[in-house]
Amino acid sequence: MGFYLGIDVGSISTCSALLDGCGKLAFASWERSRGRPIDSVKSALKQIREYFDGAPDIAATGTTGSGRELAAALIGADVVKNEITAHALAAIDYMPDVRTVLEIGGQDSKIIIIRDGVVVDFAMNTICAAGTGSFLDHQAHRLNVPIEEFGSHALRADMPLNITGRCTVFAESDLIHKQQLGHSKENLIAGLCRALVENYLGGVGKDKDIKPPIIFQGGVAANVGIVKAFRDLLGQEIIIPPRFECMGAVGAALLAAEAGPSAGGESAFRGFTVSEESIGLRSFNCGCCTNNCEITEVVSGKQVLGRWGGRCPRWTGRPEAAEAVRPC
Amino acid sequence: MKVTYPHVGDLTLALRSMFGNLGIDVVPPPPPGMKVLKTGAIHSPETACLPYKHVLGELILGLEAGADTLMLLGGRGPCRFGFYDVMQNEALKALGYSFNLVSTDNPDTLRNLVREFAAVSPRNSLRGIAWEVYLFFRRVEAMDMVHRTYDRIVPRNLESAGRIMAAEKERIAATTTLRGLIAARKTAKDVIESIAPASAGRPLRVGIVGEFYTVLDPDTNFHVERAVKSFGASVERGVWLSTWLNDRLGFMPFTRSDRKRCKRIARPYLGFSPGGECVVSIAKVIEYAREGIDGVIHLLPFTCMPELVAATILGRVRKDFDIPMLELTIDEHTDGTAVRTRLEAFMDTLAWRRRRRLDAPKEAFPKT
């Protein structure tokens, strides 16, 4: 029985999850992408090999996250799915009667409403990144608090401040203003957590029927200050799954397990040797119409693994097919 | 004298054939794309709505290509569309272009439109021109019919089906007589209906409502109709060029005004029309929910006033009728990947909901 591999390439972090044949989580990894998603995917594969002391047998693979196309081209994926579906599946798998999923990641936040194990509604932040992981990261750095301790600082607050959370730019200037008035770090951080949760509930959570049980996942669930703010504002218990930061990857692995190998019983997985390959990126402008789309291609040696970036289907699909339509 | 006009979905095709028949020299609008949008956006206020930027870009490129007369559809609605011609006139003058602007605004009547065509056409028979304008409307109507038929099927091969539809529309545009048009329309319907479907099952149905321009122009809305079809669903569109033209200009005096009907349906939520397609969006969603359509996509340009009103009200409609909705806000900064991610998740949601409805225990004899 092979394993099912899921990889979630987000803007800030890359996670991987490995489910065994029975669907049990056998391994999960999390690391920052540091702006180099290719290297982080390679490193995830390396970690799996080190953990199992050799390459485990892979039955099917799935990728998700904003870098899912890249990851799919890189490792050879059987399923490529959006992160909303992946997160929902992982949450339902963890708790079959879940009715609300709050997810805050590095650059985006979403809310998923589930009834009877089925997604009935969702929302994802569109323009504003207020309240996402990278903003908290930035503020933690500015206040000189390690991000891991950011939440516990908030719990020690005696008088959380009112911070405007409408927009990160305003939040930051308000934060600086309050800081210069001499307020304690604890109160500043607690105020910020509350403001961001208010922003989340008034933004993506607007018009959503938030009912318990509520699961909170994504990297920001590590922040106990944010968790407390959710608990206070919603007046509900907030459940945090054990591997909350890898739920996207777990969802991708579940999707792979459900769909199975893509091509006639064979997984599209290119093998763990991918981590040793030298992978290059090329991009060029199509120039066939005035959109002049920027097409990106991933190459390993001479082989084109995948192409994307076009508004029309000219460059998408199988690389061989794309080659055939090159002259326009 | 050379005329140029803005591009709006199939309007371009229909106008091209009418201008040809009237003997009016035209500079066709440039192919839609980022070049047009960027040209317009540079000379527009940043928060102007997307169609404004698009139209301005086309007019600038049209003038650069040698046009000296601009033909615009004016509005008189309370939304910014009513001021497009006024604003664009000023903006283009400030850029140093000299041109003659013809707008069908004030009053918005058919007679006015015919007179304006008479002013630019070398033909001088008012009756002949009126007949051409009528044929123009019938062509738009036929193209809409073709498109509506196409929307309702889920073809096995999207690309070739799309080409077949485009060819049928071209054939309709090429007709010169009413008899020829009616024949072409009938053939087109048969051709589209004979396209091989993807599967025999009942496909998901997705409604698309929203602002006129964003719904009508596939290059603006990231080909949302094609994307929905690629997920194996059929489309029901709430906005049509022929309906819009007929409601405003009254080509068919005996056809009931769709806008009035929409106002009546939307009345429990909104007692007046704030302009644009606001009441149409609300009314169509209510209708779709009653018809049992699986979900609705609401398209709006960033900062569009009437659709923002609609979006707020639709939040209540979706709750009252329990119909899933996806709101897509579009402007020149919108990212295609973001649109696709949400669309894919939305289609997953609809498929899940459908499955849940089918799996639900059927109580043939409900216990009281």
Side-chain angles (χ1 to χ4, degrees):
Chain A
M1 230 10 191
F3 289 91
Y4 298 103
L5 169 66
I7 292 192
D8 178 0
V9 181
S11 49
I12 301 296
S13 62
T14 298
C15 346
S16 71
L18 218 55
L19 303 184
D20 65 16
C22 316
K24 234 181 107 246
L25 186 63
F27 173 81
S29 74
W30 181 96
E31 69 178 289
R32 284 178 188 263
S33 308
R34 295 199 170 81
R36 291 195 304 269
I38 294 182
D39 293 345
S40 63
V41 170
K42 280 185 185 171
S43 138
L45 291 181
K46 215 184 212 154
Q47 284 179 45
I48 294 172
R49 213 164 44 169
E50 276 162 17
Y51 179 82
F52 287 93
D53 206 17
D57 183 28
I58 300 295
T61 53
T63 61
T64 188
S66 47
R68 59 184 179 276
E69 300 285 348
L70 175 71
L74 210 60
I75 67 162
D78 298 303
V79 197
V80 185
K81 259 289 180 215
N82 64 81
E83 49 273 35
I84 298 158
T85 305
H87 273 286
L89 274 175
I92 294 168
D93 189 75
Y94 174 68
M95 183 180 242
D97 60 344
V98 61
R99 290 205 283 178
T100 308
V101 179
L102 315 170
E103 199 274 339
I104 306 186
Q107 278 280 294
D108 65 8
S109 55
K110 35 194 162 305
I111 184 165
I112 309 170
I113 305 296
I114 298 170
R115 297 286 181 268
D116 310 324
V118 160
V119 175
V120 291
D121 198 6
F122 72 89
M124 197 169 173
N125 62 341
T126 41
I127 306 158
C128 177
T132 58
S134 46
F135 176 63
L136 290 173
D137 240 11
H138 175 64
Q139 292 311 323
H141 186 71
R142 216 179 52 75
L143 292 170
N144 202 17
V145 174
I147 185 72
E148 293 77 19
E149 292 165 24
F150 200 73
S152 49
H153 268 73
L155 295 189
R156 289 200 296 272
D158 49 358
M159 185 191 67
L161 294 166
N162 260 329
I163 307 267
T164 155
R166 175 67 50 218
C167 164
T168 54
V169 180
F170 296 142
E172 174 152 356
S173 47
D174 203 24
L175 209 60
I176 293 172
H177 171 67
K178 298 266 158 70
Q179 162 196 322
Q180 308 303 54
L181 289 177
H183 288 289
S184 72
K185 249 183 216 177
E186 283 74 20
N187 288 338
L188 283 171
I189 293 175
L192 187 65
C193 289
R194 199 186 164 85
L196 295 185
V197 169
E198 276 170 359
N199 175 290
Y200 175 92
L201 293 175
V204 289
K206 189 167 169 275
D207 284 332
K208 295 283 175 283
D209 203 8
I210 300 175
K211 289 218 171 108
I214 302 170
I215 285 187
F216 181 22
Q217 58 196 39
V220 175
N223 189 320
V224 284
I226 296 277
V227 177
K228 182 179 182 298
F230 267 123
R231 197 170 288 146
D232 292 349
L233 282 164
L234 291 172
Q236 300 284 359
E237 190 48 40
I238 306 290
I239 300 149
I240 297 172
R243 296 308 300 258
F244 57 85
E245 79 285 11
C246 301
M247 292 298 265
V250 172
L254 284 168
L255 277 161
E258 191 183 317
S262 55
E266 273 294 308
S267 171
F269 186 52
R270 295 178 55 243
F272 284 91
T273 47
V274 168
S275 56
E276 269 89 61
E277 273 176 43
S278 90
I279 308 277
L281 265 186
R282 281 199 306 238
S283 76
F284 58 92
N285 287 82
C286 165
C288 293
C289 74
T290 60
N291 277 327
N292 206 13
C293 300
E294 192 180 354
I295 310 295
T296 307
E297 49 184 26
V298 187
V299 282
S300 163
K302 282 214 163 114
Q303 192 196 358
V304 176
L305 301 178
R307 283 199 190 100
W308 55 86
R311 281 193 171 204
C312 75
R314 180 183 295 273
W315 296 102
T316 51
R318 298 221 150 270
E320 311 87 75
E323 201 68 56
V325 292
R326 193 187 264 274
C328 40
Chain B
M1 191 195 61
K2 280 189 151 187
V3 176
T4 194
Y5 48 90
H7 164 90
V8 191
D10 291 336
L11 181 67
T12 314
L13 198 55
L15 278 178
R16 196 185 67 199
S17 60
M18 178 182 63
F19 283 132
N21 295 343
L22 286 174
I24 298 172
D25 223 1
V26 294
V27 177
M34 279 321 270
K35 188 181 170 198
V36 175
L37 196 49
K38 291 260 156 81
T39 310
I42 293 169
H43 302 293
S44 306
E46 204 212 333
T47 53
C49 34
L50 187 79
Y52 177 89
K53 296 174 185 173
H54 226 286
V55 171
L56 187 66
E58 279 158 351
L59 297 182
I60 290 175
L61 292 174
L63 288 169
E64 290 290 339
D68 54 17
T69 304
L70 310 177
M71 292 208 78
L72 291 177
L73 273 173
R76 36 171 188 184
C79 96
R80 277 177 278 187
F81 177 62
F83 300 102
Y84 275 19
D85 50 347
V86 184
M87 289 284 290
Q88 280 159 349
N89 192 15
E90 295 294 325
L92 292 170
K93 287 238 161 78
L95 285 172
Y97 294 107
S98 58
F99 54 87
N100 177 25
L101 185 127
V102 183
S103 157
T104 61
D105 199 15
N106 193 31
D108 236 359
T109 60
L110 206 47
R111 182 179 297 182
N112 194 30
L113 189 70
V114 172
R115 284 220 184 98
E116 268 150 14
F117 281 126
V120 291
S121 170
R123 289 203 350 210
N124 47 15
S125 142
L126 261 182
R127 257 183 80 177
I129 291 170
W131 178 246
E132 267 309 323
V133 172
Y134 173 70
L135 271 188
F136 154 76
F137 174 75
R138 292 299 298 264
R139 273 192 215 105
V140 172
E141 202 188 38
M143 286 180 203
D144 278 357
M145 191 278 300
V146 169
H147 201 110
R148 199 188 313 251
T149 315
Y150 174 73
D151 270 351
R152 288 183 179 155
I153 61 168
V154 186
R156 192 177 302 156
N157 185 335
L158 258 183
E159 296 307 315
S160 87
R163 277 196 297 274
I164 291 172
M165 177 179 66
E168 289 307 320
K169 283 183 179 172
E170 281 286 349
R171 223 193 300 280
I172 288 170
T175 56
T176 49
T177 60
L178 186 57
R179 184 170 297 174
L181 173 62
I182 289 168
R185 179 187 153 120
K186 197 180 169 321
T187 338
K189 195 170 167 40
D190 294 344
V191 169
I192 303 274
E193 277 173 350
S194 66
I195 292 175
S199 73
R202 202 164 58 91
L204 286 169
R205 292 169 74 204
V206 174
I208 297 180
V209 298
E211 187 269 336
F212 182 73
Y213 190 87
T214 352
V215 174
L216 248 53
D217 196 51
D219 292 286
T220 302
N221 63 32
F222 296 90
H223 296 272
V224 67
E225 281 182 42
R226 191 175 66 195
V228 167
K229 275 176 185 289
S230 72
F231 290 112
S234 73
V235 174
E236 200 65 43
R237 215 168 80 181
V239 185
W240 293 98
L241 186 55
S242 55
T243 318
W244 189 90
L245 285 172
N246 194 42
D247 285 349
R248 278 171 194 255
L249 301 166
F251 283 96
M252 309 290 267
F254 301 113
T255 304
R256 279 166 72 200
S257 161
D258 191 50
R259 192 166 287 261
K260 277 190 190 149
R261 198 176 58 85
C262 287
K263 265 189 184 168
R264 202 167 47 240
I265 298 172
R267 191 157 298 145
Y269 292 91
L270 184 66
F272 72 104
S273 166
E277 320 302 315
C278 181
V279 285
V280 179
S281 296
I282 297 168
K284 295 284 175 185
V285 174
I286 296 173
E287 269 191 330
Y288 291 160
R290 286 184 183 145
E291 260 179 58
I293 277 186
D294 294 278
V296 181
I297 297 170
H298 182 214
L299 296 170
L300 61 153
F302 188 51
T303 75
C304 172
M305 180 276 286
E307 292 307 320
L308 276 174
V309 175
T312 312
I313 293 171
L314 286 177
R316 256 174 58 214
V317 175
R318 85 201 280 182
K319 268 191 188 163
D320 292 354
F321 288 87
D322 186 33
I323 182 165
M325 279 189 56
L326 178 70
E327 187 184 302
L328 291 177
T329 312
I330 291 171
D331 76 349
E332 72 266 30
H333 306 297
T334 306
D335 168 32
T337 314
V339 171
R340 270 194 301 279
T341 299
R342 285 165 182 77
L343 209 54
E344 193 189 286
F346 185 64
M347 297 308 293
D348 283 347
T349 304
L350 298 191
W352 270 354
R353 279 178 70 113
R354 160 92 50 109
R355 218 179 307 153
R356 178 176 71 153
R357 224 170 37 219
L358 296 179
D359 290 347
K362 312 268 183 307
E363 283 193 78
F365 302 99
K367 292 143 201 84
T368 44

